[in-house]
Amino acid sequence: MKVLHVASEVAPLSKVGGLGDVAGSLPKALRKLGIDARIVTPAWPGVLDKANELGSNLVRLPPLLHISLQWHVMSSKIWKTIIDDVPIYILENSDLFENLPIYPEELTGESALPFAFFSFSALDLEQKNRWVPDIIHCHDWPSALVPISLKWHRFYRDKNPRPMTFFTIHNVAHQGIFPFHVLDEWGIDTRSFTIDGLEFYGHVNLLKGALITSDCITTVSSRYGKEILTPEMGYGLDGVLRKEKSKLHCVLNGLDPGWSPVHDPYIPFPFSAENLEGKKHCRSVLLQHLGWKDNMAPIFLSISRLTMQKGYDILLPALDALREIGIRFLFIGSGNPIFTSALYEAADSHPDNFAFKHGFHEEFSHLAYAGSDMLIMPSLFEPCGLTQLIALQYGTVPVVRETGGLADTVRDADDHPDGYGFTFIPYTTEALLKGVRRAINAYRDPFRWDGIVKRGMSKDFSWKVSSQLYQDLYHRTLENKRR
Ligand code: ADP
């Protein structure tokens, strides 16, 4: 079985968030099951250098890809490398893929060209490469034009053989919404612009189109799979999702095996649930790095995109109260300028309690996970969340809002004897503070805390089960096609 993953970010080559982690790790797990899984991704700045450094045998395939867009022919070079046994095709066009951050602030026909080009490339790649996928597996709106084109593009709709399409929703809030004129520019039949097609309140909605045209839809946790069917959390697409429910499946994301404190090259001391000495040393190194005293005051980590989704509007008003309890907070992230300046201000005025690392710090994040005591994740919604899964692996106890994947993966230690985290439900600062206070009470009892940490570390959040679920879904979808 041959499966091509179409991913706008792929760790370790490029990463903005969890989608990059999943696109990097799922194909690897699928290959272990005997599936010929490959990836196609753009050469954002730095990607080819990373591929050269990490992959084996980075080679340029001789032909160029030519794609017709905005009544022009645009071309890219195709590079191929193999990272951790997974073949990756990297598309190089310095005009198109020069953006960092990868996702533009404002979506226009122009700013979306990289994604349109990259989606069409996924359909054309086989002609240059003589490797014909049975299934094309797309991730979020940047690759939504793949299934849409197989139905409505002026020539891809006649593609023969037609691959089956999978579409994974990593976040239903990001939909790829554009003005009507893009359809013509992209070669999409404007007759698709109906209420049962791409039309969404007078605009073109790529996510909606992908939900309608894909053969199979998946999303990344069971709880989120239910939530997106409701008007409160479906971001306007709950009706479409309810209609397409028979092809919607929930498969929990897994973690890359590289996220392990036993053999993580980026942490100074390895450790495991059996021997937590190394975690204590990592904690000391982290404290030293931050210029904080090595004492028992707990260290909370918050690492994420600074957006409304991640709960900063209930977390920031809690900072004074948290400081009074004597907690220390390390924030890592970038995004919304209001949250950014509030975090700078907190760190400037109370440097003994708050530290803020602005930006994306992949390597440092490993030490932060290993050296912190707790992770805070008060998300408004969370499709799956990999951050809490990584924290659990590294013995860092999550305090999370019970929503989406956080609800599916974190069990409250006060409510369940086998619990290994702390959860709260209302989306309020008060509920968050209650959750944190309960966590601190547990932290003050070293014997109990040790049990909580170790139970969390022993949870299996690998791809073992989930990759098999994908394999079953692939088989079933191909079987249906044959019938
Ligand atoms: P989302 O995909 O919504 O951003 P997830 O929890 O699914 O959130 O995944 C976030 C991933 O990105 C995790 O691997 C996390 O460690 C990483 N990450 C987020 N922000 C940063 C940052 N500022 N620096 C380094 N890694 C980050």
Side-chain angles (χ1 to χ4, degrees):
M1 190 193 296
K2 287 176 277 181
V3 181
L4 179 65
H5 283 259
V6 189
S8 46
E9 46 178 300
V10 178
L13 298 180
S14 55
K15 175 167 147 181
V16 176
L19 166 53
D21 284 309
V22 170
S25 56
L26 171 60
K28 216 190 298 184
L30 292 170
R31 287 188 78 84
K32 293 217 168 81
L33 300 176
I35 295 171
D36 185 358
R38 303 186 183 195
I39 305 170
V40 60
T41 195
W44 305 112
V47 164
L48 283 172
D49 291 340
K50 273 251 174 77
N52 209 2
E53 182 192 323
L54 303 171
S56 59
N57 216 5
L58 179 68
V59 289
R60 211 194 119 186
L61 304 185
L64 287 173
L65 261 173
H66 301 294
I67 304 287
S68 148
L69 266 173
Q70 285 185 326
W71 308 280
H72 290 93
V73 173
M74 298 186 181
S75 308
S76 81
K77 295 177 192 157
I78 312 165
W79 294 85
K80 185 180 174 198
T81 187
I82 297 177
I83 298 185
D84 283 338
D85 185 43
V86 183
I88 306 181
Y89 301 100
I90 303 172
L91 308 176
E92 184 192 6
N93 173 317
S94 51
D95 292 333
L96 279 171
F97 303 128
E98 61 187 9
N99 277 347
L100 263 186
I102 294 171
Y103 305 110
E105 284 275 300
E106 196 192 344
L107 286 187
T108 61
E110 209 56 40
S111 70
L113 272 183
F115 304 103
F117 181 93
F118 143 76
S119 301
F120 296 148
S121 303
L123 294 166
D124 270 344
L125 194 61
E126 65 190 45
Q127 292 178 10
K128 312 287 171 184
N129 185 38
R130 293 208 216 112
W131 180 83
V132 183
D134 305 300
I135 292 172
I136 301 191
H137 190 149
C138 304
H139 298 269
D140 272 355
W141 76 263
S143 49
L145 275 171
V146 172
I148 291 172
S149 300
L150 289 169
K151 182 157 178 152
W152 286 309
H153 190 274
R154 60 174 178 256
F155 49 83
Y156 296 118
R157 71 177 154 216
D158 298 323
K159 190 170 169 55
N160 190 15
R162 181 190 180 281
M164 297 303 270
T165 49
F166 266 59
F167 188 86
T168 297
I169 306 169
H170 295 263
N171 193 331
V172 84
H174 301 158
Q175 301 184 352
I177 295 179
F178 296 92
F180 172 74
H181 66 79
V182 296
L183 291 182
D184 227 16
E185 294 171 17
W186 293 341
I188 305 286
D189 189 338
T190 48
R191 281 173 297 180
S192 62
F193 195 71
T194 66
I195 186 80
D196 296 318
L198 298 171
E199 197 267 340
F200 184 76
Y201 299 100
H203 283 73
V204 171
N205 184 322
L206 291 188
L207 178 57
K208 179 184 175 196
L211 299 179
I212 295 168
T213 52
S214 299
D215 296 302
C216 181
I217 309 168
T218 69
T219 192
V220 292
S221 72
S222 297
R223 176 74 75 100
Y224 191 63
K226 292 191 190 90
E227 288 171 348
I228 56 179
L229 300 178
T230 67
E232 295 75 34
M233 300 193 63
Y235 278 78
L237 290 181
D238 48 291
V240 179
L241 280 159
R242 284 195 299 275
K243 211 166 152 194
E244 303 293 341
K245 199 171 155 214
S246 60
K247 62 181 189 192
L248 172 65
H249 302 268
C250 302
V251 185
L252 189 70
N253 281 340
L255 267 190
D256 189 277
W259 284 112
S260 157
V262 180
H263 42 68
D264 183 333
Y266 300 116
I267 63 173
F269 299 94
F271 60 94
S272 64
E274 289 70 45
N275 185 352
L276 283 166
E277 266 319 288
K279 181 162 176 81
K280 285 191 199 141
H281 295 314
C282 288
R283 187 178 189 276
S284 299
V285 173
L286 178 66
L287 285 168
Q288 218 172 6
H289 180 95
L290 299 171
W292 284 346
K293 283 200 195 94
D294 202 345
N295 60 25
M296 277 301 286
I299 313 167
F300 271 77
L301 170 66
S302 159
I303 171 165
S304 73
R305 296 178 287 115
L306 303 179
T307 62
M308 286 293 279
Q309 180 200 334
K310 299 295 178 175
Y312 286 93
D313 56 333
I314 61 167
L315 176 56
L316 292 173
L319 292 190
D320 280 338
L322 293 167
R323 182 170 52 82
E324 277 157 25
I325 316 174
I327 303 176
R328 297 177 289 194
F329 259 88
L330 165 59
F331 294 97
I332 309 177
S334 62
N336 183 320
I338 297 174
F339 299 146
T340 307
S341 53
L343 291 176
Y344 268 125
E345 201 183 308
D348 283 347
S349 32
H350 301 286
D352 292 338
N353 290 90
F354 304 121
F356 178 35
K357 284 250 175 202
H358 187 210
F360 199 86
H361 300 276
E362 177 67 40
E363 211 169 305
F364 176 69
S365 75
H366 292 242
L367 175 65
Y369 281 116
S372 300
D373 299 304
M374 296 173 222
L375 172 91
I376 184 106
M377 232 172 139
S379 305
L380 175 62
F381 64 93
E382 196 59 70
C384 175
L386 290 177
T387 313
Q388 83 282 11
L389 304 184
I390 301 170
L392 283 164
Q393 287 284 305
Y394 285 72
T396 298
V397 175
V399 179
V400 304
R401 179 154 177 270
E402 209 178 298
T403 179
L406 296 173
D408 286 354
T409 57
V410 180
R411 210 163 155 77
D412 193 283
D414 281 339
D415 293 346
H416 306 277
D418 59 346
Y420 46 86
F422 294 87
T423 64
F424 60 94
I425 297 176
Y427 189 69
T428 61
T429 299
E430 292 68 40
L432 179 154
L433 281 168
K434 253 194 200 163
V436 171
R437 287 202 179 96
R438 289 196 297 113
I440 295 204
N441 279 342
Y443 179 77
R444 292 198 175 123
D445 176 346
F447 181 74
R448 183 172 175 223
W449 191 251
D450 193 57
I452 292 174
V453 167
K454 287 180 174 162
R455 280 197 293 280
M457 290 181 81
S458 62
K459 291 271 133 194
D460 181 1
F461 288 115
S462 69
W463 275 108
K464 208 159 119 202
V465 174
S466 295
S467 59
Q468 281 168 8
L469 291 174
Y470 272 116
Q471 184 183 36
D472 287 350
L473 283 173
Y474 291 157
H475 274 302
R476 267 158 49 193
T477 308
L478 290 176
E479 198 54 38
N480 284 346
K481 180 185 178 187
R482 261 178 230 121
R483 277 203 217 111

